Amino acid sequence: MSTLNRRGFIGAVGAVGALGIVGGTGAPAFAQGSATPQPAGGISGPRHWEYSFGLEEATIADIAAAFDSGALTCVKLTQLYLARIAAYEDAGIRLNSITTINPDALRTAAELDRERQRSGPRSPLHGIPVLLKDNIDTFDMPTSNGSVILKDSIPPNDAFIADALRRRGALILGKASMGEFAGGSYNTIDGQVTNPYHLKRNTGGSSAGPGAALAANFAVLAIGTDTSTSVRGPASYNGIVGLRPTTGLISRDGIAPKNLLFDTAGPMARTVTDTALMLTAVAGQDTADPLSVEVYENFPQPLRKKAAQGRLDYTKYLDKNSLKGVRLGAVRDFFGGDPEIDALAEKALDTMRRRGAKIIDIHLDPAFLDFYISNGGSNIRTIADYRFKADWEKYLATLGPKVPKTVAEFVHIYETVVNKSPLPVEQSVLDLLKRSLTTSADMPAYKNLVEKVLPEATRLKLAMFEKYKIDAMVFPYWSSFAAPISNPAFSIPDPTYVPSTRPQPAIFAGYSSIGFPGIVVPMGIGSQGLPMTISFMGRPYSDGQLLGYAYDYEQASQLRAPSPLVPPLPGETLVAPTP
């Protein structure tokens, strides 16, 4: 007897024989991202069915089935990912997406294997490799925030989410590269991350490393952080799923701050199901994060207690009929940039209609669009950053004695040391630090922002849902594909790029007194080989519903595709013959 899951892995129920390796060209013996039984012995000879597992696009369910069948161990899985990293990160096309590999990865994998054999898995994430953006504290690896000044700084303990993942048996494979201080397009440790679909194009930021690494199949899951767009942007440019949850749903404790009015961690994966599993693992109230306490105290009943205790299972929202009867507002202000993206988005909307959704065209009020979207950086973000110095220095105080403890020290080191190196700091990072030396959260402009501007943004956004009687908004996340790499340290011209002057929805979800959730899902690949996503944005606390809408669309469209620039390697297909 055998079982077949959605992605196609066939796993024997019961014991299996010795593990075999399919070698040769390195291509799987079955379709990408799937496995299928292969009869041995030829058509006329005796048939002994073999059960195959392919690493490319493997999901949590695929891996769990392979673990259960005996075809795979956490050690072997880790070795396979490390081999891909060696081939495409450290050599070959050199994506530059990972800053640190966990030196204890294989030892930890072996311990997780022994525990699984002894007492079974702790959770669905048991033995699943995860990459963390390098602004998330880990007690056993440096947390650099993309800065060469912190490249050797090992925090005293784990961030809340790192601890949550370890407690559930996940394997933290390493730390993924990021834009410096969660803002720069490159960083002074690794330099520029490259898009695995097009080596002249960028990955978006600042969770550049997590986005590129997942797209290249270097791990199963990643966690990024999103202040303006830093989870959803890289997810879109790299053709994966990225969720910005209701701000505060995931604790920010142990994450280097960018702007605590808007900061949130966010799950990144290649499928909606794996995104939901990740959110389930890391969401829950944390008294170390005041916003977390506030958010869970206001969580809608009857799920408030279960959500606060981290017992809310977001996979329960994954229903193929989630879109039936749902009213979705297509925000037309975010269309019109690139005809190819518009065509992909219209096809996505047609798929949603076929799934039973009602699509209502909506337009943002011109005054809202101008103040909160088009000029949001100057109207909101610049003033919101007045708190940066106090938050950053509070975080620095938690680190070891060898780490500079003030913004002024960082500015001095950047200007006198780093800027004389081959990787000088990006000017936008230095500008943030210098501005913070002359501003504070006590200034009238900041108080006006917090007390009036951001609450008004929340009121106006909620009013749109009421005006159009919609359950969520939907739009292409970007109106242009990933741009050519261009910054003071790296520049690769590409005349084939089609720019857009349309308003971008990046700050639409986050810049208000309550952070709205948003998710992006692959909606196809353009003629230049670059992916793009469709985005769903909902009211606060509608994270589960958004996952359901995204899942229904994903299952009906199936438009996530791996890059041909990072093909499977020899040995990535495993075969376990039946006894």
Side-chain angles (χ1 to χ4, degrees), residues 178-180 183-187 191-193 203-205 208 426 428-429 486-488:
M178 58 180 285
E180 194 143 355
S185 57
Y186 66 96
N187 69 56
Q192 178 71 47
V193 182
T203 55
E426 197 163 0
S428 62
V429 175
S486 178
N487 55 59

Side-chain angles (χ1 to χ4, degrees), residues 259-285:
N259 189 297
L260 289 176
L261 289 175
F262 313 125
D263 287 352
T264 178
M268 304 173 77
R270 288 183 293 269
T271 69
V272 176
T273 299
D274 287 356
T275 303
L277 283 165
M278 174 75 96
L279 182 62
T280 299
V282 298
Q285 189 177 59

Side-chain angles (χ1 to χ4, degrees), residues 52-387:
S52 301
F53 167 82
L55 183 70
E56 184 176 58
E57 302 293 281
T59 66
I60 292 172
D62 296 333
I63 292 166
F67 284 161
D68 290 344
S69 73
L72 186 67
T73 64
C74 184
V75 168
K76 181 61 182 177
L77 179 65
T78 304
Q79 290 171 335
L80 290 173
Y81 282 125
L82 291 176
R84 288 191 64 80
I85 291 167
Y88 298 123
E89 170 76 12
D90 303 327
I93 60 176
R94 295 184 181 274
L95 293 180
N96 221 22
S97 63
I98 297 175
T99 300
T100 303
I101 291 293
N102 186 346
D104 290 329
L106 289 172
R107 180 186 61 79
T108 302
E111 292 175 354
L112 290 169
D113 282 334
R114 288 192 292 270
E115 181 181 341
R116 176 184 285 273
Q117 292 176 348
R118 183 174 61 250
S119 55
R122 299 184 204 175
S123 80
L125 297 192
H126 190 108
I128 300 297
V130 181
L131 288 167
L132 301 182
K133 186 177 180 180
D134 202 15
N135 60 350
I136 299 171
D137 284 354
T138 47
F139 76 88
D140 52 354
M141 287 174 277
T143 300
S144 75
N145 204 36
S147 172
V148 69
I149 299 172
L150 295 176
K151 71 181 182 66
D152 297 319
S153 173
I154 299 179
N157 46 47
D158 277 342
F160 177 90
I161 52 180
D163 178 66
L165 290 168
R166 292 194 214 258
R167 285 188 288 105
R168 286 161 178 79
L171 172 67
I172 298 180
L173 184 62
K175 308 296 277 294
S177 185
M178 58 180 285
E180 194 143 355
F181 273 77
S185 57
Y186 66 96
N187 69 56
T188 52
I189 300 175
D190 305 310
Q192 178 71 47
V193 182
T194 302
N195 193 307
Y197 290 87
H198 194 307
L199 303 183
K200 292 184 178 181
R201 301 296 182 90
N202 67 49
T203 55
S206 61
S207 302
L214 283 188
N217 280 276
F218 290 166
V220 190
L221 302 170
I223 292 188
T225 61
D226 192 310
T227 302
S228 299
T229 183
S230 296
V231 163
R232 294 156 297 150
S236 295
Y237 284 156
N238 290 279
I240 62 172
V241 179
L243 171 69
R244 177 197 170 91
T246 300
T247 311
L249 198 69
I250 299 175
S251 170
R252 287 93 51 85
D253 175 61
I255 300 176
K258 181 62 182 294
N259 189 297
L260 289 176
L261 289 175
F262 313 125
D263 287 352
T264 178
M268 304 173 77
R270 288 183 293 269
T271 69
V272 176
T273 299
D274 287 356
T275 303
L277 283 165
M278 174 75 96
L279 182 62
T280 299
V282 298
Q285 189 177 59
D286 177 20
T287 56
D289 180 358
L291 181 60
S292 170
V293 174
E294 178 184 338
V295 163
Y296 282 98
E297 286 178 348
N298 293 317
F299 202 97
Q301 293 286 21
L303 299 175
R304 182 177 301 168
K305 183 176 181 181
K306 180 181 287 189
Q309 294 174 343
R311 295 188 296 109
L312 185 58
D313 183 356
Y314 284 93
T315 66
K316 299 297 185 184
Y317 292 91
L318 305 183
D319 186 335
K320 288 185 180 180
N321 292 311
S322 295
L323 287 170
K324 187 174 183 179
V326 169
R327 291 174 60 88
L328 300 176
V331 187
R332 289 297 168 181
D333 306 88
F334 301 137
F335 288 70
D338 184 319
E340 283 196 20
I341 291 178
D342 284 352
L344 292 175
E346 294 296 348
K347 184 178 179 181
L349 294 179
D350 285 343
T351 299
M352 295 174 206
R353 289 187 184 97
R354 291 196 300 272
R355 300 300 303 155
K358 172 72 173 176
I359 307 295
I360 300 96
D361 286 347
I362 69 174
H363 295 272
L364 304 180
D365 179 87
F368 177 92
L369 189 64
D370 177 68
F371 186 88
Y372 289 101
I373 304 295
S374 299
N375 295 302
S378 56
N379 292 334
I380 296 176
R381 182 53 187 273
T382 300
I383 299 172
D385 282 343
Y386 285 8
R387 68 177 295 161

Side-chain angles (χ1 to χ4, degrees), residues 180 186-188 414 418-426 488-489:
E180 194 143 355
Y186 66 96
N187 69 56
T188 52
Y414 276 131
V418 179
N419 280 356
K420 295 179 181 180
S421 75
L423 277 177
V425 67
E426 197 163 0

Side-chain angles (χ1 to χ4, degrees), residues 9-10 18-23 28-30 34-36 38 50-55 66-67 69-73 76-77 80 570-577:
F9 179 84
I10 301 282
L19 181 66
I21 302 290
V22 176
F30 47 86
S34 65
T36 190
Q38 305 292 327
E50 296 174 333
Y51 297 97
S52 301
F53 167 82
L55 183 70
F67 284 161
S69 73
L72 186 67
T73 64
K76 181 61 182 177
L77 179 65
L80 290 173
E572 285 187 9
T573 301
L574 308 180
V575 177

